[in-house]
Amino acid sequence: MSAYRPPRIPSSEITPKGTYLNRRSFMAAAGGAALLPALPALAEKLTVKPGPYGTTEPQTPKDTVTSYNNFYEFGTNKGDPASNSAKFKPRPWTLEVGGMVAKPQTFDLDKLIADIPLEERIYRMRCVEAWSMVIPWDGFPLAALLDKVEPLGSAKYVAFETVVRPEEMPGQKGYFQPMPWPYVEGLRLDEARHPLTLLAVGLYGETLKNPNGAPIRLVVPWKYGFKGIKSIVKITLTDKQPPNSWNTLQANEYGFYANVNPEVDHPRWSQATERRIGGGSFFGGSEQRPTLPFNGYADEVASLYAGMDLRKFY
Amino acid sequence: MPLPKLSPRTREATIWALYAMGLIPGLWGFYQGATGQIPGDPVRIFEHMLGLWALRFLCLGLAVTPLRELAGVNLIAYRRALGLLAFYYVLAHFTVYLTLDRGLMFSTILADIVKRPYITLGMAGLVMLIPLAFTSNRWSIRRLGSDWNRLHKLVYPILIVAVLHYALSLKVVTGEPAFYLLVTALLLGYRLVRPRLLEARRRLRQASR
């Protein structure tokens, strides 16, 4: 099926930030700020240099990336994060890094971002539900943060934890809560130190928006999207394999490793192909394509799993 | 609560109005998707929306009898339209699955139908709906007589596979699928108690005579 693909809009043609910020403050002043609903935290421009591992595949438009994703803290529908996250306050933010480290620390996020140079990483994102996107993230390698706290030789794994704020995250209160909170994830230390593994603080050159896991989230491009834990408040180095939420919920469907693997199907659906969500106008111009081992990053990461039975450790 | 009595011509017009209104969500969804107005994953959103409307019309069709017997509201004239609307939405849902979703890659589609229980169930529902749609005309009703009633009892297993198809396609069961599971339980549960209920009513009427 052929679909119309609009030309890519050069960033020079995008309405300058200042212009629409001015309009917002004008609107707020005109309407009387008290009469307006709280404005969601505004995205700010980030200073970013291009990083390695880029792809030339067409990028998923920003509006799509910010309006369609899973973030159950705001609801289980994929439109919920965009609709229900306006009350969430991603600043001020602190990130506690501890456990088996020589220098446990609590970082102020803004200071941390000022301290570590940010890179743009254009990664494929493959959801376990068999859809995919291409997203330009902005962030820094997780290894850079780990270096600051100096993991001990005994540390083997890294555990992550999402914030719990039922007052700001409607998915965390009421009936029919899909899973226990906080959402937790984990990586082996060598996976965490791999140069592909990113802590993202932005996308498309701007600070992360609430639906995408503001203000700081994990991106592990060779694993299914659910490994990319959002709104992280705590990182702990440990010597035991940490629990991860989806595995705890349904161990036969979601593993600890969750490496993208077209050979190992989800028990209820095939993982052999995926639908790339693009930017066309006729039904998003989305197309079915074969899924690649390790989401196309096999050259970089396959050696991490040498000798492992990936059917067993899915 | 008796409904106002309609002349046959007015009733006919309201039935056609039901068909027209019933098709609006699907046509509107297609228009929005085709013109790039559905954000996110328009294919999945449109596909799921068609499936959900099929389930809704199926439930509405099965609510006609309990409504008549419990609330005295007689909507039997609209039942065929509700059933056919459900069938049209299932067909559209399946077509979108084959084309926009799976890109007509038949090798993987067939493997999915055989291997994935939720897809097998959905497929079974579609297959069972076909004879019902083809016999939803007066000629068939006359021709089949009491067999028609027996054949159309297939709608009960169809509702079961439809709601399971929906629930099993999700990663977690949340409010909306739980709602349809409950509605299904009520609609089918009514059929289980119905013979006893009608019998008790008949006795009551006889006793009061």
Side-chain angles (χ1 to χ4, degrees), chain A residues 40-43 62-75 77-90 125 131 133 135 137 162 168-170 203 207-217 225 228-231:
Chain A
L42 296 176
K62 186 167 96 179
D63 283 353
T64 305
V65 178
T66 56
S67 64
Y68 185 86
N69 64 320
N70 286 311
F71 195 173
Y72 280 18
E73 280 80 346
F74 294 116
N77 287 323
K78 276 174 271 292
D80 287 345
S83 316
N84 301 339
S85 63
K87 268 182 45 204
F88 184 74
K89 295 181 205 70
M125 210 290 300
W131 52 270
M133 294 183 177
I135 305 174
W137 300 105
T162 295
E168 297 175 25
M169 301 175 122
L203 60 84
T207 50
L208 268 187
K209 293 187 176 163
N210 291 346
N212 300 92
I216 185 163
R217 62 165 294 165
I229 184 170
K230 304 184 179 80
S231 306

Side-chain angles (χ1 to χ4, degrees), chain A residues 129 265 268 275 281 283 288, chain B residues 33 36 41 101 116 168 170:
Chain A
E129 298 164 3
D265 287 340
R268 287 180 286 145
R275 233 153 26 71
S281 64
F283 284 95
Q288 193 77 16
Chain B
D41 186 351
D101 188 346
R116 315 282 160 205
L168 288 176
L170 300 165

Side-chain angles (χ1 to χ4, degrees), chain A residues 1 64 67-68 72 76 128-129 176 178 246 249 254 265-270 273 275 277 281-284 286 288, chain B residues 30 33-36 39-44 46 100-102 105 112 115-116 118 168 170-172 174-175 178:
Chain A
M1 150 161 302
T64 305
S67 64
Y68 185 86
Y72 280 18
T76 53
V128 73
E129 298 164 3
F176 283 121
W246 277 103
L249 203 65
Y254 312 98
D265 287 340
H266 184 282
R268 287 180 286 145
W269 54 79
S270 162
T273 62
R275 233 153 26 71
I277 299 174
S281 64
F282 183 80
F283 284 95
S286 69
Q288 193 77 16
Chain B
F30 182 81
T35 53
D41 186 351
V43 174
R44 278 284 142 99
F46 182 53
L100 292 171
D101 188 346
R102 306 309 307 273
M105 290 162 77
D112 271 359
K115 263 170 74 182
R116 315 282 160 205
Y118 87 91
L168 288 176
L170 300 165
K171 285 203 295 193
V172 288
T174 53

Side-chain angles (χ1 to χ4, degrees), chain B residues 20-163:
Chain B
M21 281 192 322
L23 291 173
I24 285 173
L27 295 172
W28 178 242
F30 182 81
Y31 167 75
Q32 284 198 308
T35 53
Q37 294 179 63
I38 303 180
D41 186 351
V43 174
R44 278 284 142 99
I45 292 170
F46 182 53
E47 182 181 11
H48 292 174
M49 176 260 228
L50 293 170
L52 209 51
W53 276 101
L55 187 57
R56 286 174 187 150
F57 283 118
L58 212 51
C59 291
L60 287 173
L62 276 159
V64 167
T65 295
L67 268 180
R68 189 179 52 178
E69 291 170 357
L70 299 177
V73 179
N74 191 351
L75 296 172
I76 193 82
Y78 304 96
R79 194 169 66 176
R80 177 191 302 165
L82 293 170
L84 280 172
L85 280 166
F87 177 66
Y88 299 149
Y89 274 97
V90 168
L91 267 190
H93 175 68
F94 182 62
T95 308
V96 171
Y97 166 72
L98 289 183
T99 56
L100 292 171
D101 188 346
R102 306 309 307 273
L104 295 176
M105 290 162 77
F106 283 105
S107 56
T108 59
I109 291 171
L110 287 175
D112 271 359
I113 291 174
V114 178
K115 263 170 74 182
R116 315 282 160 205
Y118 87 91
I119 298 179
T120 317
L121 287 169
M123 201 59 218
L126 168 59
V127 169
M128 287 190 281
L129 267 173
I130 292 170
L132 303 202
F134 274 99
T135 55
S136 66
N137 50 68
R138 286 205 188 115
W139 182 80
S140 299
I141 297 173
R142 269 199 302 270
R143 182 74 203 263
L144 293 170
S146 64
D147 284 343
W148 189 92
N149 273 323
R150 214 172 305 141
L151 175 65
H152 279 247
K153 292 233 170 8
L154 263 183
V155 74
Y156 306 143
I158 289 171
L159 179 61
I160 293 173
V161 298
V163 78

Side-chain angles (χ1 to χ4, degrees), chain A residues 251-265:
Chain A
N252 66 325
E253 298 190 345
Y254 312 98
F256 172 76
Y257 284 94
N259 293 322
V260 175
N261 190 343
E263 306 279 313
V264 177
D265 287 340

